[in-house]
Amino acid sequence: MTSDAASARPDPTDEVVDLCRDLLRIDTTNTGDNDTSVGERRAAEYVAEKLAEVGVDAEIHESAPGRANLVARIPGTDPGRDALLVHGHLDVVPADPDEWSVHPFSGEIRDGYLWGRGAIDMKDFDAMVLAVVRSWQRTGVRPTRDIVLAFTADEEAGSDYGAHFLAQHHRGLFDGCTEAIGEVGGFSYSVDESQRLYLIETAEKGIDWLRLHAKGRPGHGSMVHDDNAVTALAEAVARIGRHRFPVVVTDTVRAFLAEVSDVLGIEIDPEDPETAIAKLGPIANIIGATIRNTANPTRLAAGYKDNVIPGRATATIDCRSLPGQSELLERQLRELIGPDIAIEYIQRQPALETTFDGDLVEAMSAALRAEDPGARPVPYMLSGGTDAKAFSQLGIRCFGFAPLRLPADLNFSGLFHGIDERVPVDGLQFGVRVLDRFLRSC
């Protein structure tokens, strides 16, 4: 190939911006309802097209009309090595344009950021993966081990139509995979101008989404009425919403706090970790939610007319349990709710936890340090859940590693499902360089 032809190849750190912008402009809103969720098929076809352009064949598998998942395999040079799964979801949570500074599906670049719903959750990582793979295919790079790519639907509503569907009905696509990387990890927290912690996810809380059902005696709204389903439910919901569960420091959180103690030079009281966590600024919300079980009311429904007391009322509670504590959380909630309100599980998926060691962790750490000499990789627990819950059922050891170098003053955790979601362009490009190094060496 001539030098002119070689120089004409797109630079992956430039192309990642275009790829991410294209993905952001595809509205893949997941409402949790098949009838109103949109765009996942279109996004999967876009990814398939971009892979096909460089000679990578991909399979699209629909779990329901429009709920599309894409899987492709990049062959490695050593057939004796176990494969690595690299997964990212294509769906996003809803966004109201009236609340945003830019349209949430515009993919606008402003003030050094790429804006849009999914910019950090998680079309940025989808674009990074595409940019790296497309660059490799153009230049003849092959990884040592097979790399399986999975771009999934429905992660934002529990993954039933996405990763769980693939794991249950197409598990052969993941033959040989023993390790995986996905969201939310590898992002930076600035200690000072020369030091940054990079949080690699080695654990995530369990999903315990509940629906509460209260029953009462229906009647006229003008009467004295002691058996009111709305009242009973509201009292239970208020008790849950105001409750703070006991502090429990898991192995992963303990390891993270030890790193924080060392780098910040502060003493951390194991009986009162919240005092130290409060000093962590933008990431305090994520870390603070990993030292206890949590339960947050999110939806209420009751009644059909202003002057009719309904016989039923329901509430949805978003509960997240620490590793090994799902059953304990259920008992704790039952005590709060009382015996007369029924509990229905909408989603119940276990917490995950692995150790911060091994060749894969070393490869992540080396790639981060090569691009940022001030990097200090540390383990942490994600307060939410990811598609790792589905893939772990195949015996795959899962990590969150979607590398980003972030501005020190950016409230990263507040952007997840938030207004004005955006990713720094230079952080996106940093992620491509780190991911390229990592995938070549892991």
Side-chain angles (χ1 to χ4, degrees), residues 235-249:
E235 290 172 342
V237 167
R239 288 193 295 271
I240 293 170
R242 294 193 182 101
H243 186 72
R244 292 296 175 267
F245 294 89
V247 169
V248 177
V249 179

Side-chain angles (χ1 to χ4, degrees), residues 241-323:
R242 294 193 182 101
H243 186 72
R244 292 296 175 267
F245 294 89
V247 169
V248 177
V249 179
T250 62
D251 291 343
T252 296
V253 174
R254 185 175 294 106
F256 172 79
L257 292 176
E259 295 280 359
V260 168
S261 173
D262 181 55
V263 75
L264 296 183
I266 60 175
E267 194 76 27
I268 296 180
D269 181 354
E271 302 299 320
D272 179 28
E274 289 173 294
T275 299
I277 291 171
K279 299 177 181 179
L280 297 179
I283 63 167
N285 283 343
I286 291 180
I287 305 304
T290 64
I291 60 172
R292 53 166 49 92
N293 296 325
T294 58
N296 286 303
T298 56
R299 301 181 74 179
L300 292 167
Y304 52 88
K305 197 172 186 298
D306 292 346
N307 62 348
V308 176
I309 297 170
R312 295 176 179 271
T314 64
T316 303
I317 314 293
D318 184 345
C319 304
R320 308 292 173 130
S321 56
L322 294 170

Side-chain angles (χ1 to χ4, degrees), residues 30 40 89 91 121 152-159 183 385-387:
N30 183 358
E40 290 169 337
H89 63 85
D91 63 318
D121 188 14
T152 62
D154 197 39
E155 191 275 345
E156 297 292 4
S159 307
E183 63 177 341
T386 73
D387 280 339

